[in-house]
Amino acid sequence: MTLIALGINHKTAPVELREKVAFTPDSLVEALSSLKSFDGVEESVIVSTCNRTELYVAADKVDTDRLIDWLASFHNVDRQQLIANAYIYEQNAAIEHIMRVACGLDSLVLGEPQILGQIKQAYNHARHSGLVSTQFDKLFQHTFTVAKRVRSETEIGANAVSVAYAAVQLAKHIFARLPERSVLLVGAGETIELVAQHLKEQGVKRLAVANRTLARAENLAGALGAEVMTLSQLPEKLHQFDIVISSTASQLPLIGKGMVEDALKQRRNLPMFMVDLAVPRDIEAQVNELGDAYLYTVDDLQHIVQQNMASREQAAAQAQVIIEQQVGSFLQWQQSRQSVDLVKQYRDRGNQQRQELLDKALKQLQEGQTAQDVVEELAYKLTNALLHAPTRALRDASTQVDQRTTRWLAKAFELDNPDNR
């Protein structure tokens, strides 16, 4: 049985191809059904996200070219384009790859945790479709355990590696009870949406969104249960917020030193934490001159992100050591299972030979042959049947001057090896 990983991801393929090869929930069911009838495929799991599509297959002598043909045909994409952007791993490399993916080491954002949940979902889809058996059940359960170890034993997910997340983590360090703080988000673009998601995950209850276009602000605020205001309301509302995070496309600052100074007076000099993620700036740099205003820019956060990325890369090296150890552990299980299968085959064949010869002996007795003749023939033929394969193996090893195999066979059959005399 050969393990194969075939796929494309953000490193190897442009988004245009990734979009074409992605599986929708409905097409995934159809694809799993199609793979189930694919000649030679015993087990399979399909992982499909915005950044990767991968087939994991346990197969008996399956040609990888046929798998590529299947994937190209299923999505109606050019085969040569797929080959030019795809990667294929087999056996040890395939096992290591799935573990790296599950641990976030192969992700666009190093160490991101979402991929593990996506792989678990892919595994469950395949299992419910009848495409997971003993080998893949063991492989994926082992992979999930490895990912959990990497999360708990390294700092792979401990530090922020996006400016949006870094802004929220910085606020969390400054304010001991972040969920109790009031937060104003200025803007309603993608960066502010990411900031809002992180704030909700941290349990922040009071959020407000200020934007030039109310409709855009309302769309974001509706999902957050947040207040809405226009940019013109900033001077009268600013003092109500402990944290202000801004990211707009404005060419001029929206929040000046004077506006913040007035807000601090109304707050009776309670501090304000301000993060300006915009380029050009939304908040005047002179705000930093105010004693109770703490202003961070996107450059400040980028420096934090770079330091954290270096920390994650160090953690990734530690994770790789764990993965390599666990690949070896899985291979040992695979080898032991193979040994058990061989032992079972050998014993089954011996029992079959014994039964065939016993049936023949009983028939001979019924036909009137003497018991002594029947027993002698049974003993002779049973001995020949059981010794035929070991004798041939010993003869072949000796003929080929394969001393290592000869010594091993001699030990296995408890023989007196001439080399040891």
Side-chain angles (χ1 to χ4, degrees):
M1 190 70 67
T2 303
L3 294 178
I4 300 167
L6 162 66
I8 62 170
N9 64 19
H10 59 282
K11 296 177 184 177
T12 68
V15 66
E16 293 81 8
L17 180 60
R18 300 204 305 272
E19 287 173 341
K20 292 177 182 176
V21 180
F23 290 90
T24 65
D26 289 340
S27 67
L28 184 61
V29 174
E30 181 186 348
L32 288 168
S33 176
S34 175
L35 275 176
K36 197 172 183 179
S37 59
F38 199 102
D39 186 36
V41 171
E42 298 292 334
E43 303 177 68
S44 61
V45 172
I46 298 175
V47 175
S48 186
T49 72
C50 57
N51 285 326
R52 72 178 63 247
T53 291
E54 295 180 334
L55 308 180
Y56 293 97
V57 172
D60 183 17
K61 299 180 181 178
V62 164
D63 186 348
T64 52
D65 285 342
R66 289 181 57 218
L67 280 177
I68 292 174
D69 289 342
W70 176 87
L71 188 59
S73 174
F74 190 92
H75 290 290
N76 195 27
V77 297
D78 180 69
R79 183 181 187 277
Q80 292 307 315
Q81 185 187 17
L82 190 57
I83 291 173
N85 292 276
Y87 45 84
I88 299 171
Y89 302 109
E90 294 189 14
Q91 286 302 99
N92 299 21
I95 297 166
E96 180 178 344
H97 180 70
I98 181 60
M99 291 182 183
R100 284 180 54 81
V101 172
C103 293
L105 302 193
D106 197 55
S107 295
L108 180 61
V109 177
L110 181 64
E112 61 92 7
Q114 288 83 4
I115 186 64
L116 178 58
Q118 291 165 333
I119 291 177
K120 285 183 176 180
Q121 189 175 34
Y123 161 79
N124 285 326
H125 278 311
R127 187 165 59 87
H128 292 144
S129 297
L131 275 164
V132 171
S133 190
T134 305
Q135 186 155 211
F136 265 20
D137 183 60
K138 181 70 174 180
L139 173 60
F140 279 85
Q141 293 300 334
H142 196 73
T143 296
F144 302 151
T145 301
V146 171
K148 186 177 179 181
R149 273 195 62 190
V150 166
R151 289 276 153 195
S152 62
E153 297 179 22
T154 75
E155 298 292 311
I156 192 69
N159 301 299
V161 288
S162 73
V163 290
Y165 189 43
V168 175
Q169 289 298 302
L170 195 54
K172 188 178 177 182
H173 285 302
I174 290 173
F175 294 101
R177 295 187 295 275
L178 185 60
E180 298 174 14
R181 302 297 173 174
S182 54
V183 182
L184 172 63
L185 303 175
V186 182
E190 184 178 342
T191 299
I192 288 295
E193 283 188 35
L194 288 172
V195 171
Q197 289 174 16
H198 294 313
L199 286 168
K200 291 299 284 186
E201 289 170 2
Q202 294 296 328
V204 174
K205 295 178 178 62
R206 192 193 170 198
L207 284 168
V209 180
N211 195 52
R212 193 178 307 279
T213 307
L214 266 182
R216 185 87 180 265
E218 286 168 348
N219 285 339
L220 176 58
L224 301 170
E227 304 169 36
V228 175
M229 67 180 75
T230 63
L231 296 181
S232 61
Q233 292 177 282
L234 284 175
E236 62 183 275
K237 299 274 192 178
L238 191 62
H239 70 280
Q240 299 176 9
F241 300 96
D242 303 308
I243 300 168
V244 178
I245 301 176
S246 185
S247 179
T248 75
S250 175
Q251 296 303 301
L252 297 172
L254 301 173
I255 301 174
K257 179 182 177 183
M259 188 191 301
V260 176
E261 193 169 20
D262 290 342
L264 289 171
K265 288 178 183 177
Q266 295 181 69
R267 290 173 60 81
R268 299 182 184 276
N269 293 318
L270 284 173
M272 292 181 70
F273 171 62
M274 311 185 79
V275 182
D276 188 353
L277 300 179
V279 179
R281 296 182 181 187
D282 283 340
I283 304 173
E284 285 184 348
Q286 289 79 6
V287 167
N288 250 335
E289 298 171 5
L290 301 173
D292 293 311
Y294 301 91
L295 174 62
Y296 290 81
T297 68
V298 69
D299 288 342
D300 298 325
L301 296 184
Q302 286 287 11
H303 180 63
I304 293 171
V305 165
Q306 287 170 3
Q307 289 180 318
N308 290 347
M309 183 58 79
S311 175
R312 283 202 178 190
E313 287 172 354
Q314 185 178 359
Q318 296 169 347
Q320 183 62 33
V321 173
I322 295 173
I323 288 169
E324 288 172 3
Q325 291 171 346
Q326 294 307 309
V327 168
S329 174
F330 179 79
L331 290 172
Q332 285 179 354
W333 171 85
Q334 199 177 45
Q335 187 63 44
S336 67
R337 183 170 177 266
Q338 197 171 40
S339 300
V340 170
D341 288 344
L342 288 172
V343 170
K344 185 177 183 302
Q345 286 181 43
Y346 186 66
R347 292 185 68 87
D348 286 348
R349 188 176 65 182
N351 286 329
Q352 182 182 358
Q353 290 170 331
R354 175 185 60 82
Q355 190 62 49
E356 289 174 354
L357 292 172
L358 179 59
D359 290 343
K360 182 179 180 182
L362 291 172
K363 185 178 180 182
Q364 288 173 332
L365 287 172
Q366 289 174 353
E367 291 173 349
Q369 293 189 33
T370 66
Q372 182 174 345
D373 290 343
V374 171
V375 170
E376 286 180 355
E377 183 180 348
L378 172 63
Y380 175 76
K381 289 187 174 178
L382 184 58
T383 300
N384 280 345
L386 295 178
L387 293 182
H388 175 70
T391 301
R392 185 176 59 187
L394 278 166
R395 186 186 302 116
D396 290 346
S398 299
T399 302
Q400 296 169 16
V401 198
D402 186 350
Q403 294 182 354
R404 183 179 177 184
T405 302
T406 302
R407 285 195 297 269
W408 185 89
L409 287 168
K411 183 179 178 181
F413 299 124
E414 299 180 350
L415 303 176
D416 185 13
N417 186 0
D419 292 346
N420 296 330
R421 292 176 183 174

